[in-house]
Amino acid sequence: DVKVTQSSRYLVKRTGEKVFLECVQDMDHENMFWYRQDPGLGLRLIYFSYDVKMKEKGDIPEGYSVSREKKERFSLILESASTNQTSMYLCASSFPTAGNSPLHFGNGTRLTVT
Amino acid sequence: GIQVEQSPPDLILQEGANSTLRCNFSDSVNNLQWFHQNPWGQLINLFYIPSGTKQNGRLSATTVATERYSLLYISSSQTTDSGVYFCAAWIKAAGNKLTFGGGTRVLVKP
């Protein structure tokens, strides 16, 4: 079975802090994604990556950056956390061609910014 | 714009009942996926189904790409089926990425 692991289940950070959300997958997937999920707004794509050191902006990249130094790891970075970034963050991966393979999600990180 | 719409938005079932969830999409799709989000927030991929019919236990799904819809069938529902069901369509016209529907919230009562 595919395993996508997010480093934290719950996280509380202060406004202005730099926040790192880590995601690791164990299936050698090329494609990795970061979504956020908010009530009434559904799942929205923040950033995605189709290869090491490659990144593409999704629908709502503002206030976020990403890093993919190794194939199995995709990190989401909140440069200066704000209260409107309080949300559920979901990492996902897929293989081999992004449009033609199932997407697998991690358990999610519920981030609260105070 | 590109749309993926699910119906109904909410569904309450008595344990043992059958039900059908619908997903309509506004453009041609490369593939269609169904997910179940449990009450703890975990999203599980149920089906990867660009066309045709697939079955997995009490769940089955059918996608008719030419008519731009997909159906998810739940038979003999159980309380563990509760949660939110999402469909997601990979649409080239939407920038070659998955577009998620708004979800159907299902509550199965014992």
Side-chain angles (χ1 to χ4, degrees):
Chain A
D1 279 354
V2 177
K3 192 165 180 64
V4 181
T5 303
Q6 295 184 229
S7 54
S8 304
R9 188 80 177 97
Y10 298 94
L11 209 52
V12 179
K13 296 291 182 181
R14 293 189 182 274
T15 301
E17 278 193 81
K18 190 169 186 176
V19 181
F20 293 86
L21 303 183
E22 305 287 348
C23 176
V24 177
Q25 48 90 8
D26 67 355
M27 284 299 292
D28 205 33
H29 285 177
E30 281 93 353
N31 313 314
M32 297 189 75
F33 307 83
W34 275 106
Y35 290 86
R36 64 177 282 177
Q37 185 178 23
D38 302 286
L41 296 176
L43 279 94
R44 294 179 291 169
L45 182 63
I46 305 171
Y47 267 98
F48 59 100
S49 169
Y50 290 155
D51 204 349
V52 175
K53 296 194 184 293
M54 176 271 179
K55 59 185 178 184
E56 292 278 350
K57 293 181 179 179
D59 298 320
I60 51 164
E62 296 78 19
Y64 303 94
S65 62
V66 290
S67 171
R68 191 155 182 211
E69 295 297 318
K70 293 185 177 181
K71 191 175 187 179
E72 67 271 19
R73 186 179 298 269
F74 193 35
S75 303
L76 180 69
I77 303 157
L78 286 65
E79 297 290 343
S80 176
S82 63
T83 55
N84 63 14
Q85 292 178 311
T86 291
S87 185
M88 169 72 104
Y89 290 88
L90 292 153
C91 174
S93 71
S94 70
F95 174 83
T97 303
N100 291 299
S101 62
L103 194 66
H104 298 276
F105 281 91
N107 286 347
T109 296
R110 195 170 293 278
L111 172 68
T112 301
V113 182
T114 61
Chain B
I2 304 299
Q3 290 185 325
V4 178
E5 296 181 341
Q6 294 185 239
S7 60
D10 295 281
L11 194 56
I12 299 175
L13 300 172
Q14 202 62 43
E15 196 168 29
N18 302 328
S19 183
T20 301
L21 282 59
R22 188 176 180 101
C23 174
N24 292 331
F25 36 93
S26 62
D27 210 320
S28 301
V29 299
N30 286 357
N31 76 68
L32 193 292
Q33 303 186 34
W34 283 96
F35 298 88
H36 174 230
Q37 188 169 37
N38 64 26
W40 297 271
Q42 187 176 10
L43 271 161
I44 303 295
N45 194 302
L46 298 174
F47 293 102
Y48 168 81
I49 183 166
S51 63
T53 297
K54 288 187 177 179
Q55 180 145 11
N56 184 1
R58 295 179 296 101
L59 301 180
S60 64
T62 296
T63 295
V64 184
T66 53
E67 297 186 23
R68 299 185 182 172
Y69 72 89
S70 183
L71 303 174
L72 178 70
Y73 305 95
I74 305 173
S75 64
S76 303
S77 59
Q78 299 178 358
T79 55
T80 52
D81 294 331
S82 296
V84 184
Y85 291 82
F86 291 98
C87 67
W90 197 281
I91 303 173
K92 280 188 176 179
N96 222 13
K97 59 180 172 64
L98 268 180
T99 300
F100 281 81
T104 293
R105 186 175 299 275
V106 174
L107 175 62
V108 181
K109 292 186 171 182

